[in-house]
Amino acid sequence: MATPPAHPDPALGTVGPRVRAIREERGMSLSTLARLAGVGKATLSGLENGTRNPTLETLYAVTAQLGVPLTAVLSGPAETPTVRGAAVGATLLEVFSDTDATYELYRMRVSPGPAQLSPAHQSGVTEHVTVFSGVLRAGPVDAPLTAGPGGYLRWTSDVPHSYAAVGDEQVRASLLLRYPRR
């Protein structure tokens, strides 16, 4: 489990109430969402009550089970929240939609060290990464892809996937998630 950031991002303060509102809107109990997302009930309760800092892995697991993009629980577009996981820090830059999908654009940094495992998103979600510096290994756990500066990676992320910096240099990249409309 990832250590929460030492200085929580104030823009993440509304995440818990938004998770609770979406969960209740769907008629789902806290226990059911925790079980489906593979998150401890106490962790989810703490997230909803604002007593725990959510990690990127936890937020993706929860939003996947709620069937919503990550930005559905993040703060409004005027703010630029940063979410952190075991290796990845991602700052939301823009959310935009067209008739077929919602898109989230992030500035992403991947720290050297252990890889970050991300849970599966809902069906049909794709991730698009452009690497600006460093070397990134990312994609489905059973078939990761590698790219260096100027490289581009794309995969369907409705399976567990991971991110890892190759070597000792931090990776700087952009991440675009595409959530198809149902």
Side-chain angles (χ1 to χ4, degrees):
M1 172 158 237
T3 303
H7 304 287
D9 188 328
L12 294 176
T14 60
V15 168
R18 288 179 186 199
V19 167
R20 179 184 295 116
I22 295 168
R23 176 180 59 76
E24 289 174 349
E25 184 179 286
R26 284 165 172 60
M28 190 181 293
S29 72
L30 183 82
S31 297
T32 298
L33 179 56
R35 181 178 44 77
L36 292 172
V39 174
K41 187 175 173 182
T43 297
L44 184 57
S45 177
L47 186 157
E48 286 190 358
N49 292 312
T51 60
R52 293 201 180 201
N53 294 326
T55 64
L56 188 58
E57 297 92 337
T58 298
L59 288 176
Y60 275 132
V62 168
T63 56
Q65 294 308 313
L66 292 172
V68 297
L70 179 64
T71 53
V73 300
L74 295 178
S75 298
E79 301 178 34
T80 55
T82 298
V83 289
R84 292 177 179 82
V88 175
T91 302
L92 178 65
L93 300 175
E94 185 74 36
V95 178
F96 48 99
S97 296
D98 63 24
T99 57
D100 298 327
T102 297
Y103 300 86
E104 298 174 349
L105 178 63
Y106 295 89
R107 176 177 47 243
M108 180 173 69
R109 294 194 169 129
V110 182
S111 299
Q116 176 172 315
L117 179 63
S118 291
H121 297 289
Q122 55 266 38
S123 180
V125 173
T126 55
E127 296 194 25
H128 307 261
V129 178
T130 302
V131 176
F132 301 116
S133 66
V135 177
L136 178 67
R137 181 175 302 117
V141 171
D142 61 351
L145 308 162
T146 303
Y152 168 78
L153 304 174
R154 178 194 183 280
W155 66 91
T156 301
S157 54
D158 54 6
V159 296
H161 48 286
S162 63
Y163 299 88
V166 177
D168 296 330
E169 183 181 352
Q170 181 183 64
V171 174
R172 295 176 188 263
S174 68
L175 168 64
L176 179 71
L177 282 98
R178 180 184 184 278
Y179 295 87
R181 291 198 190 272
R182 304 213 184 270

